[in-house]
């Protein structure tokens, strides 16, 4: 038989199209063996594959189209489910006409899991069709936003398609859960080419509503005996930016219910889903829920420092739901402590974690045998053993050796598979200690999965969060240190929230190694997330373009530079007229005048203890104090303001440079220090040198990297986004390269639009009314103060916002009154963005009785503080919020009036 594959696509000169797939007919998954398509005409490419009927496989054969650019880069189309079954169609000629699916089409968002599973599921209508009894053609088209009581119909200029008569059109049947419509056609007697269009038909009123937009579709074909043509028409051309939803954002740990244990638990999400259903909210967004237990102290409260990218955090477990009925008494013994902790305004992280761990350690020996024999556990273990067993062994060793820093362990510093298997085996002495973590993770899995099912039943989806980094001394780094650059630290350059930049401490990714493994670790991570969440936010998506990389010897983020980045070469400096002096440009600039300015009368003491005088009268740092980490260790036990002042002064001296050496360049290539104009080293250059450095700075940060970073992102993101059917949002805040919006649009990723963090440098505020459709708009995030908290931070900014963004006359109120918060929320609800998501604190801010009396206590994180205690909890329980009938009606009305 002949298989004819045709794809409709208009190419530019130099582009070519290919078809690939896992079966040997399509190259056996090796793109180097992909089948080239031939250019047929301006609108299509195709190929013919001859398959002996006896060799036709019985299974569906998956395939996909790939576009190759003149520079060798490739783009796959977004359609993940393309397949053909040769044995099923007993014809001599099977022709498949496909439409290229651009990842940026809005409609692709509505084909993702949250819309298929939950948000659009109630809209589906079963339709009996009037299709052909015998077929020459079969058509398939998608229209995910067709509402309940409607279906698609097909009308064209041939008798088989009704000759454009709309009174009795050919109705298409809907394929459940796919937003796709299909029909069989008998076009014998038709004269090709055929013009046709899809339309929308009301099945209840039995009337034609409208045609799809755009020009007529044209089908070029020839009829032949024993031939079937399958037409995959992509998406019907209907409005695709009409669906809008509103959601709520809150960390799981911040939830408060009458029955929780001093911290939010997975089971508390059920009550939150009940409240969302009451108010018309369709989405719950949470912070990362992975295990962060590195030290068993409050510093583990940082949710972005997971010791495992896969394990769930034990602090979110409900002890009552773990305990079998016969063991409820063990949990009841903690009732007094539970009430004490639950009544605290903020989380006592250490006390909660310790109490839950003690209880679980008592329940474990009583329930482990039945748990491990259960069908549910066996299924869970088979699905998750690849990460679960090493994580459990790591957790055992962490507790045995008293530290998560595996570089300090007396044994097992390197993760050997044989050692992991031995330590976890049933006949080992460590069996119970290791398998305790199996037990805890299984119950966490059950409780989170149960909460998700409950939310789905109420029409609410869950949005998770993928941190950009992993803990430097966590299970992931212990298992596969080769996937990370352990000598570097991820962070962010200075901004309005952190003048010295941010150093998150995470190792950066070894992307070439990740690529060599087919991004297996990332794909596994996405798969794991998909077991619980419908959508997710990629924290700091800019890290897929480039990451702010801080040497491991540094403390402050200001010491970093972007990786990858095209450096500035010594030859460039010379060509621009700079007589290059390595010591002057690439080493700390320290003079008597600067020391006097920084340390005042104490400068002589600083000189004698920490500095050496150079031959030209300037200074260099003494050996042992040349890096910020060395200085930090020296002052580790020092107390008092003077020690802190000297420590910071030395940090500032070390960062007082113009250029950082590019790794491996032997002093021939450099990265320009961020905010170089703010340094005294720069200010002490002559005016001509300043001008040249400023020009290079602008080129380095805002021009030369753009195409380079775009290519790096398009190398990583497409294979990862294709590996999941979850809705993906990117946190694209900060110093955003110009290539980022274009790449995100190209891949159909939702951007994040924050009113107080405009992406246009000339603007003070972004406007929700101008947000792109594929975006999430929000007035604040967990890294910022709430609307009310921000209102009193800077009176001048508040006045400008009140006048320019709210359009109000006169002086702004001294405090953020409820009507102001409501006005801001209305702005966001009215936005054209697909999603408006609000922190719970901001939503409660519209009600004078329900909101917290102290807005300053509602802030979750302060990015400039590396030792922030993530301890915020709602000040009222969800039960009280559910019974706030008047408020809930008001919120529901706000959401309903906005069309969300």
């Amino acid at each position: 038989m002949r298989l004819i594959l045709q794809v409709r696509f208009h190419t530019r000169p130099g582009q070519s199209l290919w078809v690939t797939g896992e079966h040997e007919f399509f190259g056996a998954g090796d793109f180097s063996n992909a089948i080239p398509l031939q250019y047929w005409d301006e609108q299509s490419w195709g190929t013919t594959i001859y398959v002996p009927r006896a060799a036709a496989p019985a299974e569906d054969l998956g395939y996909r189209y790939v576009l190759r650019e003149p520079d060798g880069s490739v783009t796959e189309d977004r359609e993940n489910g393309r397949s053909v079954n040769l044995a099923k169609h007993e014809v001599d000629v099977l022709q498949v006409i496909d439409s290229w699916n651009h990842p940026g089409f809005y409609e692709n968002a509505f084909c993702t899991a949250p819309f298929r599973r939950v948000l659009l599921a109630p809209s589906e209508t079963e339709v009996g069709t009037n299709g052909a009894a015998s077929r020459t053609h079969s058509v398939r088209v998608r229209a995910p936003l067709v509402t309940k009581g409607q279906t698609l119909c097909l009308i064209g200029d041939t008798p088989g398609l009704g000759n454009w008569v709309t009174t009795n059109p050919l109705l298409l049947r809907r394929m459940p859960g796919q937003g796709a419509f299909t029909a069989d056609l008998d076009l014998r007697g038709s004269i090709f080419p055929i013009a046709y269009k899809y339309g929308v038909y009301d099945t209840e009123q039995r009337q034609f509503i409208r045609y799809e937009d755009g020009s007529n579709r044209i089908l070029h074909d020839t009829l032949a005996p024993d031939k079937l043509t399958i037409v995959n028409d992509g998406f019907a051309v209907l409005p695709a930016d009409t669906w809008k939803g509103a959601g709520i954002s809150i960390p799981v740990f911040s939830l408060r219910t009458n029955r929780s244990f001093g911290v939010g638990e997975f089971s508390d999400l059920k009550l939150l889903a009940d409240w969302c259903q009451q108010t018309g909210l369709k989405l719950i967004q949470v912070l990362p829920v992975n295990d962060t237990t590195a030290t068993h102290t409050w510093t583990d409260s940082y949710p972005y420092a997971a010791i495992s990218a896969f394990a769930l955090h034990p602090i979110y477990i409900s002890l009552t739901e773990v305990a079998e009925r016969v063991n409820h008494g063990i949990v009841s013994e903690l009732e007094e402590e539970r009430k004490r902790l639950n009544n605290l305004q903020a989380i006592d992280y250490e006390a909660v974690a310790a109490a839950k761990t003690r209880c679980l350690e008592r329940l474990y020996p009583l329930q482990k045998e039945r748990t491990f024999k259960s069908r549910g556990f066996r299924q869970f273990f088979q699905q998750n053993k690849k990460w679960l067993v090493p994580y459990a062994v790591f957790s055992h060793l962490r507790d045995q050796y008293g530290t998560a820093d595996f570089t300090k362990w007396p044994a097992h510093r390197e993760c050997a598979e044989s050692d992991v298997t031995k330590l976890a085996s049933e006949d080992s002495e460590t069996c119970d200690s290791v398998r305790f973590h199996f037990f805890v993770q299984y119950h966490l899995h059950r409780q989170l999965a149960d909460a998700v099912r409950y939310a789905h039943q109420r029409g609410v989806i869950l949005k998770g969060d993928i941190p950009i980094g992993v803990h430097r001394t966590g299970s992931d780094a212990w298992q596969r240190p080769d996937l990370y650059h352990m000598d570097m630290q991820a962070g962010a350059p200075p901004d309005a929230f952190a003048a010295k930049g941010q150093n998150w401490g995470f190792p950066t990714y070894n992307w070439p190694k990740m690529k060599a493994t087919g991004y297996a670790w990332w794909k596994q991570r996405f798969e794991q997330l998909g077991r619980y969440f419908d959508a997710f936010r990629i924290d700091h998506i800019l890290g897929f373009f480039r990451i702010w990389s801080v040497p491991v010897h540094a403390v402050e983020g200001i010491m970093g530079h972007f990786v990858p980045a095209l450096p500035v070469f010594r030859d460039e400096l010379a060509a621009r007229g700079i007589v290059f002096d390595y010591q002057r440009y690439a080493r700390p600039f320290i003079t008597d005048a600067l020391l006097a300015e920084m340390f005042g009368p104490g400068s002589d003491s600083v000189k004698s203890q920490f500095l050496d005088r150079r031959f030209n009268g300037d200074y260099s740092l003494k050996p042992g104090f040349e890096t910020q980490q060395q200085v930090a260790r020296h002052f580790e036990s020092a107390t008092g303001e003077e020690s802190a002042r000297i420590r910071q002064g030395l940090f500032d001296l070390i960062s007082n440079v113009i250029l950082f050496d590019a790794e491996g360049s032997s002093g021939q290539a450099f990265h320009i220090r961020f905010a170089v104009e703010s340094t005294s080293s720069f200010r002490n250059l002559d005016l001509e040198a300043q001008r040249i450095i400023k020009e290079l700075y602008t080129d380095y940060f805002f021009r030369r990297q753009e195409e380079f970073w775009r290519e790096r992102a398009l190398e990583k993101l497409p294979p990862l986004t294709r590996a999941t059917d979850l809705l993906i949002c990117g946190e694209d805040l900060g110093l955003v390269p110009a290539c980022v919006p274009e790449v995100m649009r190209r891949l159909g990723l939702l951007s994040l639009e924050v009113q107080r963090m405009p992406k246009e440098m000339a603007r003070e505020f972004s406007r929700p009314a101008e947000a792109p459709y594929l975006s999430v708009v929000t007035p604040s995030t967990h890294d910022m103060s709430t609307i009310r908290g921000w209102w009193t931070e800077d009176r001048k900014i508040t006045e400008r916002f009140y006048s320019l963004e709210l359009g109000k006359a006169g002086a702004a109120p001294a405090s953020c009154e409820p009507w102001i918060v409501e006005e801001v929320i209305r702005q966001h609800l009215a936005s054209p963005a697909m999603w408006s998501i609000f922190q719970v604190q901001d939503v409660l801010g519209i009600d004078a009785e329900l909101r917290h009396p102290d807005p300053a206590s509602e802030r979750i994180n302060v990015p400039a503080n590396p030792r922030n205690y993530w301890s915020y909890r709602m000040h009222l329980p969800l039960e009280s919020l559910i019974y706030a009938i008047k408020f809930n009606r008001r919120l529901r009305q706000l959401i309903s009036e906005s069309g969300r």
Side-chain angles (χ1 to χ4, degrees):
M1 67 181 298
R2 283 190 296 154
L3 172 63
I4 303 172
L5 291 179
Q6 176 183 348
V7 60
R8 292 165 170 165
F9 189 89
H10 177 73
T11 52
R12 300 189 305 271
Q15 293 179 322
S16 59
L17 284 167
W18 305 67
V19 63
T20 185
E22 297 305 315
H23 194 274
E24 60 182 14
F25 289 148
F26 300 122
D30 184 352
F31 183 66
S32 64
N33 295 324
I35 299 171
L37 302 187
Q38 286 78 47
Y39 174 84
W40 284 2
D41 55 47
E42 285 191 356
Q43 299 300 326
S44 60
W45 290 62
T47 190
T48 301
I49 303 171
Y50 293 90
V51 183
R53 186 176 294 278
E59 72 273 16
D60 290 346
L61 305 180
Y63 66 95
R64 59 190 186 275
Y65 295 108
V66 179
L67 173 69
R68 175 175 280 174
E69 300 287 353
D71 63 3
S73 62
V74 298
T75 301
E76 293 189 25
D77 86 324
R78 186 63 177 85
E79 197 72 31
N80 284 333
R82 296 196 193 278
S83 67
V84 62
N85 191 309
L86 301 178
K88 178 180 177 182
H89 304 292
E90 297 182 355
V91 293
D92 288 337
V93 180
L94 178 62
Q95 178 168 348
V96 181
I97 303 175
D98 290 315
S99 295
W100 179 272
N101 182 353
H102 188 280
F105 288 159
Y106 290 174
E107 291 91 342
N108 282 313
F110 303 113
C111 299
T112 56
F115 288 97
R116 288 188 294 100
R117 295 173 184 167
V118 182
L119 298 172
L120 296 180
S123 301
E124 296 196 354
T125 302
E126 289 295 327
V127 177
T129 72
N130 49 0
S134 61
R135 60 179 181 169
T136 61
H137 292 73
S138 179
V139 298
R140 181 179 183 273
V141 66
R142 287 191 289 179
L145 293 184
V146 168
T147 60
K148 192 171 183 64
Q150 296 180 348
T151 190
L152 287 187
C153 59
L154 182 58
I155 309 171
D157 66 354
T158 185
L161 298 180
N163 284 322
W164 295 117
V165 177
T166 61
T167 53
N168 187 29
L170 174 67
L171 302 185
L172 280 67
R173 65 181 180 276
R174 189 164 198 160
M175 301 172 70
Q178 298 185 33
F181 298 80
T182 186
D184 294 331
L185 311 177
D186 184 352
L187 296 181
R188 285 175 295 185
S190 298
I191 300 174
F192 290 89
I194 290 173
Y196 66 100
K197 268 196 167 188
Y198 294 100
V200 180
Y201 186 84
D202 190 313
T203 59
E204 296 173 356
Q205 300 296 323
R206 295 187 178 181
Q207 67 180 41
F208 179 82
I209 298 175
R210 60 162 293 176
Y211 283 110
E212 65 176 328
D213 297 326
S215 304
N216 291 342
R217 296 175 185 257
I218 305 295
L219 176 60
H220 296 272
D221 200 10
T222 55
L223 294 174
D226 217 16
K227 176 185 177 184
L228 173 64
T229 299
I230 298 173
V231 182
N232 294 317
D233 260 331
F235 294 105
V237 187
L238 297 168
D241 59 355
T242 56
W243 191 96
K244 296 196 293 184
I248 204 74
S249 172
I250 186 169
V252 174
F253 60 74
S254 297
L255 295 173
R256 182 188 294 271
T257 69
N258 291 330
R259 62 172 183 257
S260 50
F261 204 114
V263 69
E265 299 172 344
F266 288 145
S267 56
D268 294 335
L269 289 166
K270 296 180 180 180
L271 281 178
L272 185 59
D274 286 337
W275 178 66
C276 288
Q277 184 184 37
Q278 280 189 30
T279 55
L281 293 161
K282 299 182 177 75
L283 176 148
I284 296 170
Q285 175 175 313
V286 298
L287 295 187
V289 292
N290 300 102
D291 188 2
T292 59
T293 311
T295 65
H296 294 290
T297 68
W298 67 265
T299 60
D300 296 340
S301 67
Y302 181 28
Y304 289 89
I307 64 163
S308 169
F310 305 94
L312 298 170
H313 203 310
I315 205 166
Y316 299 128
I317 205 163
S318 166
L319 298 174
T320 303
E321 293 188 17
V322 172
E324 296 171 348
R325 186 182 298 273
V326 70
N327 296 322
H328 277 185
I330 293 174
V331 179
S332 298
E333 292 176 19
L334 295 171
E335 184 61 13
E336 186 175 334
E337 176 71 349
R338 185 195 72 80
K339 288 182 178 178
R340 182 188 74 82
L341 291 169
N342 214 33
N343 288 330
L344 296 176
Q345 180 179 348
I347 301 165
D348 185 337
Y349 184 92
E350 293 175 20
V352 170
K356 288 194 173 188
T357 300
R358 287 194 300 270
C359 185
L360 289 167
E361 287 172 343
R362 292 182 63 188
L363 292 172
Y364 172 63
L366 302 174
Q367 298 181 194
K368 63 179 182 180
E369 187 173 346
R370 284 183 297 277
T371 297
F372 293 155
K373 287 182 178 179
S374 69
R375 181 181 178 185
F377 175 80
R378 292 199 304 272
Q379 289 177 337
F380 167 77
F381 185 79
Q382 285 303 314
Q383 267 191 335
N384 298 278
K385 62 183 178 181
K386 186 173 181 179
W387 65 262
L388 178 61
V389 177
Y391 156 78
V393 169
F394 174 88
S395 299
H396 156 75
L397 294 171
R398 171 201 62 202
D399 295 342
Q400 178 183 348
Y401 297 138
T403 177
D405 188 350
F406 50 84
T407 65
K408 297 178 180 177
W409 291 351
H412 308 295
R413 292 182 183 179
E414 295 182 0
C415 178
E417 187 175 347
S418 58
D419 290 345
V420 168
T421 301
K422 182 179 178 180
L423 290 167
S425 65
E426 292 186 28
D427 57 355
S428 70
E429 293 180 0
T430 57
C431 172
D432 264 349
S433 177
V434 170
R435 296 192 171 210
F436 169 74
H437 300 286
F438 295 177
F439 177 83
V440 173
Q441 286 299 311
Y442 172 59
H443 282 286
L444 286 163
H445 157 74
R446 289 183 62 194
Q447 292 177 18
L448 179 53
D450 184 51
V452 171
R453 282 192 296 271
Y454 187 93
H456 285 179
Q457 291 166 4
R458 276 143 188 80
V460 178
I461 65 168
L462 265 73
K463 180 182 176 185
D465 195 338
I466 284 194
I468 189 61
V470 298
H471 201 290
R472 174 171 296 278
T473 57
S475 175
D476 301 292
W478 178 61
Q479 291 174 65
R480 292 294 306 272
D482 59 314
L483 295 180
Y484 314 96
H485 291 302
M486 301 298 289
D487 58 342
M488 301 302 290
Q489 307 170 94
D495 58 23
F497 302 98
K500 299 290 184 181
Q502 298 177 51
N503 179 3
W504 304 325
F506 312 136
T508 60
Y509 293 116
N510 183 345
W511 284 112
K513 185 68 175 182
M514 292 275 189
K515 182 181 180 182
T517 64
Y519 303 105
W521 182 84
W522 277 99
K523 290 176 180 178
Q524 183 187 0
R525 198 175 182 188
F526 283 10
E527 180 185 359
Q528 179 75 358
L529 202 72
R531 296 197 176 117
Y532 309 111
F533 296 101
D534 308 286
F536 64 90
R537 165 190 180 270
I538 299 179
D539 170 50
H540 195 66
I541 197 172
L542 306 184
F544 287 86
F545 294 77
R546 79 292 185 272
I547 194 72
W548 188 252
S549 192
V550 183
V552 74
H553 60 68
V555 173
E556 296 177 322
I558 191 63
M559 295 294 295
H561 63 274
F562 286 122
V563 173
L566 301 172
V568 171
F569 289 91
R570 181 183 285 218
D571 290 347
E572 286 184 76
L573 298 168
R576 290 173 179 257
I578 286 185
V579 178
F580 187 72
D581 179 344
Y582 180 87
Q583 180 69 34
R584 178 64 185 87
Y585 283 90
R587 301 298 300 158
F589 175 72
I590 308 172
T591 64
D592 283 313
L594 177 60
L595 293 170
E597 178 185 332
M598 293 177 65
F599 300 102
S603 62
D604 287 339
S605 174
V606 169
K607 292 175 190 176
S608 63
Q609 191 172 359
F610 302 106
L611 303 175
D612 286 329
R613 184 179 286 275
R614 298 180 63 240
F615 67 91
N616 64 351
D618 292 347
Y619 296 87
S620 62
L621 290 139
K622 286 181 182 290
F625 299 101
E626 294 170 299
T627 71
Q628 290 187 336
Q629 284 288 2
Q630 289 174 330
V631 171
R633 283 194 292 271
H634 175 78
F635 285 94
E636 213 162 27
S637 58
T639 59
E641 292 184 7
E642 183 61 17
S643 291
R645 189 175 73 86
I646 295 173
R647 175 182 180 273
Q648 184 58 55
L650 292 173
F651 281 0
D652 292 342
L653 289 179
I654 292 168
S655 66
N656 187 29
V657 296
I658 293 172
L659 303 173
F660 294 132
D661 275 293
E663 183 180 358
S665 72
S666 302
Q668 299 301 308
F670 305 90
H671 301 288
I672 304 180
R673 206 208 85 155
F674 196 85
V676 69
E677 289 183 59
S678 67
T679 67
S680 66
S681 181
F682 176 86
R683 292 194 300 271
N684 278 273
L685 293 173
D686 62 68
L687 293 179
E688 179 61 13
Q690 288 185 12
R691 183 189 66 78
I692 294 169
I693 294 297
K694 285 168 68 173
E695 287 179 355
L696 279 170
Y697 182 93
T698 301
D699 176 72
Y700 175 83
F701 281 105
F702 302 107
R703 283 198 288 268
R704 76 168 63 190
Q705 315 293 349
E706 289 296 333
E707 182 61 22
F708 184 55
W709 287 340
R710 186 185 73 85
E711 291 172 356
R712 301 291 78 74
L714 289 175
E715 185 177 74
K716 307 178 191 95
L717 286 171
L720 296 181
T721 56
R722 284 194 303 272
T724 181
D725 68 345
L726 304 188
L727 183 67
I728 305 177
C729 310
E731 187 261 304
D732 54 338
L733 304 178
L735 188 68
V736 182
C739 60
V740 172
E742 180 263 325
V743 169
M744 293 184 68
R745 284 194 299 270
R746 176 171 171 175
L747 299 179
L749 306 180
L750 275 65
S751 63
L752 179 60
E753 310 296 326
V754 184
Q755 195 168 28
R756 280 177 265 157
M757 293 189 70
K759 291 171 180 173
E760 294 181 33
M761 296 183 67
R763 299 182 66 166
E764 189 169 20
F765 307 102
S766 68
R767 289 182 175 160
E770 298 171 1
Y773 178 65
L774 289 184
S775 71
V776 174
V777 292
T778 185
S780 65
T781 74
H782 65 274
D783 283 330
M784 306 166 66
S785 50
T786 62
I787 299 171
R788 296 168 60 211
W790 169 77
W791 193 262
T792 57
E793 288 176 0
D794 189 317
R795 181 68 182 173
K796 292 180 180 179
I797 295 176
T798 301
E799 288 283 3
R800 290 195 294 273
F801 181 84
Y802 186 75
S803 171
L804 300 175
E805 304 305 317
L806 296 185
K808 305 298 180 183
S815 63
C816 194
E817 298 173 6
W819 70 265
I820 296 175
V821 181
E822 182 173 326
E823 190 87 3
V824 173
I825 287 177
R826 282 182 183 274
Q827 284 184 341
H828 287 74
L829 288 172
S831 170
M834 178 186 284
W835 286 101
S836 299
I837 300 179
F838 307 95
Q839 291 196 85
V840 167
Q841 307 94 297
D842 286 334
V843 172
L844 295 178
I846 71 175
D847 190 286
E849 296 179 4
L850 290 178
R851 65 187 192 166
H852 197 291
D854 176 20
S857 67
E858 294 186 302
R859 181 158 184 171
I860 296 171
N861 181 39
V862 181
N865 177 13
R867 292 181 62 79
N868 182 72
Y869 192 169
W870 298 65
S871 60
Y872 165 73
R873 288 189 83 195
M874 294 176 63
H875 66 287
L876 75 169
L878 283 167
E879 291 90 344
S880 298
L881 195 54
I882 287 171
Y883 286 108
I885 305 300
K886 183 180 177 182
F887 169 75
N888 292 339
R889 285 177 181 166
R890 183 179 174 194
L891 180 57
R892 186 177 188 89
Q893 183 179 3
L894 283 174
I895 294 170
S896 177
E897 288 174 350
S898 72
R900 292 190 179 271

